[in-house]
């Protein structure tokens, strides 16, 4: 693996590196860790990489790695930069024969996402979008329960993602994570809804297998001086007549990272909270059942993503690691001319990236419209 972005001061880059090496399937061999060559070199030294495999730009890294013998050069690149630096390196990597793992959202806007998806298809390279919450074992179990008809015909989906870390104008300080996430030039046209609302959208569609068809959005900037939305409330229509509600906020004072989802069908409901990821609740008029990793009969999809014995917590890093492991196993199968195991060929791809950017574009269109419902942009 080569990495673009993720210098020593970046939060998400370290998460990706740790997740990638979790299973011994992936080795970090090179990187362009910052647009500042000195920062990139300093990061490379801290990671004990050879000096000649640490680059000053992603262009230099991709083109120089391509010149190395096949057994020495990187096999794929992981892109962990702010949103506006997703499309250029992903495009260049794909066009030069490298597979890509990219942090979400896939690109800065929908036009770039569609173009990148076209390049993925044209080059035949493998592409993974790190919607990491899909990697939790109990999220896999929830999806299998929906697929198997355990809930009956679905009726309603409620998905929420409240945080409180942007309750003040943090971008006016030296807080790097706040600065780029609230800057339209780096983050895109949406703030809170682009950063975490797309996670909620993806989780709802992933578990249920249903696509959003139209929505009614109300986005707000509560903190004076902020340029992008920091709160959003959305009514959703899904396929098959299913109704939904999505709420995301970064000004929900006191909240941490409280992504959660509730799904209701004719026969029962499911409830899952990211801050208690080992617990999936199945409920009906007859009572409640608590499902936990490693306990009782779970689906093959859930079992394949359980890493430790029952009663041991699994969390954020493990969910990320499941995406990287699945990508590595699928990539190795392809490189060996074998058919990938569908249990492991399970990670978000370019189509999910398009859905995320289309969700943002539809939200913005709905928020600016006096019409109640806005058709989902395809």
């Amino acid at each position: 693996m080569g990495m673009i972005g993720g210098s020593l001061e970046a939060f998400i880059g370290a998460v990706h590196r740790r997740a990638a090496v979790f299973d011994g399937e992936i080795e970090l061999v090179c990187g362009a860790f910052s647009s500042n060559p000195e920062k990139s070199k300093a990061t490379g030294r801290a990671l004990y990489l050879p000096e000649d495999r640490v680059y000053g730009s992603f262009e230099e890294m991709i083109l120089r790695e391509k010149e190395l013998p096949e057994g020495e050069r990187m096999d794929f690149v992981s892109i962990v930069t702010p949103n506006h630096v997703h499309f250029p390196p992903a495009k260049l990597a794909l066009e030069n024969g490298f597979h890509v793992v990219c942090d979400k959202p896939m690109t800065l806007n929908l036009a770039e996402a569609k173009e990148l998806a076209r390049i993925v298809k044209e080059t035949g390279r493998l592409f993974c979008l790190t919607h990491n919450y899909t990697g939790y074992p109990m999220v896999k179990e929830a999806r299998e329960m929906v697929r198997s008809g355990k809930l009956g015909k679905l009726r309603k989906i409620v998905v929420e993602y409240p945080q409180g870390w942007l309750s003040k104008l943090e971008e006016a300080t030296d807080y790097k994570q706040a600065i780029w996430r609230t800057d339209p030039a780096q983050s895109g046209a949406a703030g809170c809804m682009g950063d975490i609302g797309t996670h909620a959208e993806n989780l709802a569609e992933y578990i249920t297998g249903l696509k959003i068809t139209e929505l009614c959005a109300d986005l707000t900037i509560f903190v004076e001086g902020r340029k992008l939305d920091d709160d959003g409330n959305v009514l959703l229509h899904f396929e098959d007549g299913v109704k939904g509600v999505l709420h995301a906020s970064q000004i929900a004072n006191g909240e941490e990272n409280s992504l959660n989802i509730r799904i209701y069908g004719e026969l029962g409901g499911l409830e899952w909270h990211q801050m208690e990821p080992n617990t999936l609740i199945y409920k009906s008029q007859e009572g409640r059942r608590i499902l936990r990793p490693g306990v009782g009969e779970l689906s093959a999809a859930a079992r394949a993503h359980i890493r430790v014995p029952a009663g041991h917590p699994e969390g954020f890093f493990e969910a990320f690691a499941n995406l990287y492991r699945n990508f590595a196993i699928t990539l190795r199968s392809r490189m060996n001319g074998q058919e990938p195991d569908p249990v492991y060929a399970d990670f978000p791809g370019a189509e999910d990236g398009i859905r995320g950017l289309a969700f943002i574009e539809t939200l913005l269109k709905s928020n600016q419209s006096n019409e109640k419902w806005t058709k989902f942009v395809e």
Side-chain angles (χ1 to χ4, degrees):
M1 177 178 86
M3 177 167 276
I4 297 171
S7 67
L8 293 177
E9 62 188 41
F11 161 69
I12 204 65
V15 171
H16 280 258
R17 283 193 292 272
R18 291 165 185 157
V21 301
F22 228 77
D23 296 281
E25 297 281 351
I26 296 167
E27 178 188 4
L28 179 68
V29 296
C30 64
F33 300 104
S34 171
S35 56
N36 180 324
E38 288 307 310
K39 279 188 180 181
S40 183
K41 293 290 184 185
T43 303
R45 284 193 296 272
L47 297 172
Y48 306 106
L49 290 177
E51 195 170 315
D52 63 348
R53 301 293 293 278
V54 182
Y55 303 99
S57 70
F58 71 80
E59 295 94 341
E60 180 190 13
M61 184 179 88
I62 291 168
L63 296 179
R64 282 184 54 186
E65 286 290 315
K66 185 182 178 181
E67 294 174 356
L68 295 176
E70 189 171 343
E72 295 179 24
R73 64 176 177 239
M74 65 178 181
D75 293 304
F76 75 95
V77 63
S78 175
I79 300 170
V80 295
T81 56
N83 304 350
H84 70 298
V85 196
H86 286 183
F87 177 75
K91 178 178 184 293
L92 188 64
L94 290 165
E95 290 177 341
N96 281 276
F98 295 109
H99 307 275
V100 172
V101 173
C102 184
D103 203 26
K104 51 66 57 190
M106 184 161 77
T107 56
L108 191 65
N109 55 53
L110 181 58
E112 284 186 349
K114 288 182 175 180
E115 174 64 8
L116 192 57
R118 183 193 65 77
I119 295 169
V120 170
K121 185 176 181 180
E122 188 176 272
T123 60
R125 299 289 123 181
L126 208 56
F127 182 90
C128 171
L129 187 69
T130 54
H131 274 295
N132 57 296
Y133 300 111
T134 65
Y136 282 104
M138 302 319 288
V139 168
K140 306 288 188 190
E141 182 67 13
R143 184 178 63 160
E144 293 305 309
M145 291 177 72
V146 170
R147 282 179 171 178
S148 68
K150 183 75 174 177
L151 273 62
K153 185 182 186 306
L154 297 190
R155 291 171 169 171
K156 186 167 185 176
I157 302 162
V158 180
V159 61
E160 303 172 309
Y161 202 155
Q163 296 177 337
W165 71 289
L166 288 178
S167 293
K168 297 179 181 178
L169 195 67
E170 299 289 352
E171 58 267 41
T173 69
D174 292 330
Y175 196 171
K176 181 180 177 181
Q177 297 300 323
I179 292 170
W180 78 258
R181 280 180 167 83
T182 57
D183 177 7
Q186 298 183 73
S187 183
C192 168
M193 296 307 286
D195 189 20
I196 62 174
T198 50
H199 272 307
E201 166 266 327
N202 176 261
L203 187 67
E205 292 197 341
Y206 178 79
I207 292 177
T208 66
L210 299 175
K211 291 184 176 181
I212 298 167
T213 58
E214 57 184 2
L215 55 80
C216 176
D218 178 22
L219 309 183
T220 306
I221 301 174
F222 276 106
V223 177
E224 187 175 349
R226 183 159 289 155
K227 296 177 182 179
L228 295 173
D229 59 279
D230 49 26
D231 183 85
N233 303 285
V234 191
L235 296 176
L236 303 169
H237 282 172
F238 290 85
E239 297 169 322
D240 297 340
V242 177
K243 304 298 176 69
V245 179
L246 187 154
H247 150 62
S249 180
Q250 290 176 317
I251 51 84
N253 223 315
E255 294 289 353
E256 298 173 46
N257 196 51
S258 193
L259 174 64
N260 65 87
I261 188 167
R262 299 185 295 282
I263 303 167
Y264 302 100
E266 290 177 331
L267 304 179
L270 288 175
E271 182 174 344
W272 180 80
H273 293 258
Q274 192 275 150
M275 290 177 63
E276 297 289 341
N278 274 25
T279 300
L280 176 65
I281 304 171
Y282 172 73
K283 44 194 173 181
S284 71
Q285 295 304 106
E286 283 71 49
R288 293 185 170 213
R289 180 187 170 205
I290 306 297
L291 294 95
R292 305 272 294 175
V295 179
E297 290 296 321
L298 297 177
S299 66
R303 293 196 307 272
H305 295 86
I306 296 170
R307 295 175 168 275
V308 293
H312 294 72
E314 294 192 59
F316 189 72
F317 283 105
E318 287 86 349
F320 252 109
N322 280 336
L323 297 191
Y324 270 98
R325 182 200 60 181
N326 290 2
F327 181 84
I329 291 172
T330 303
L331 178 54
R332 182 171 286 109
S333 295
R334 176 181 289 197
M335 293 168 72
N336 293 335
Q338 300 167 343
E339 191 68 27
D341 184 336
V343 170
Y344 298 109
D346 177 13
F347 47 83
E351 180 59 35
D352 298 278
I354 289 177
R355 294 292 298 174
L357 272 299
F359 177 66
I360 292 171
E361 192 160 303
T362 309
L363 285 176
L364 297 173
K365 185 178 178 181
S366 173
N367 189 56
Q368 295 162 4
S369 172
N370 290 322
E371 297 293 327
K372 182 175 180 181
W373 293 104
T374 302
K375 295 290 183 185
F376 197 93
V377 177
E378 293 289 349

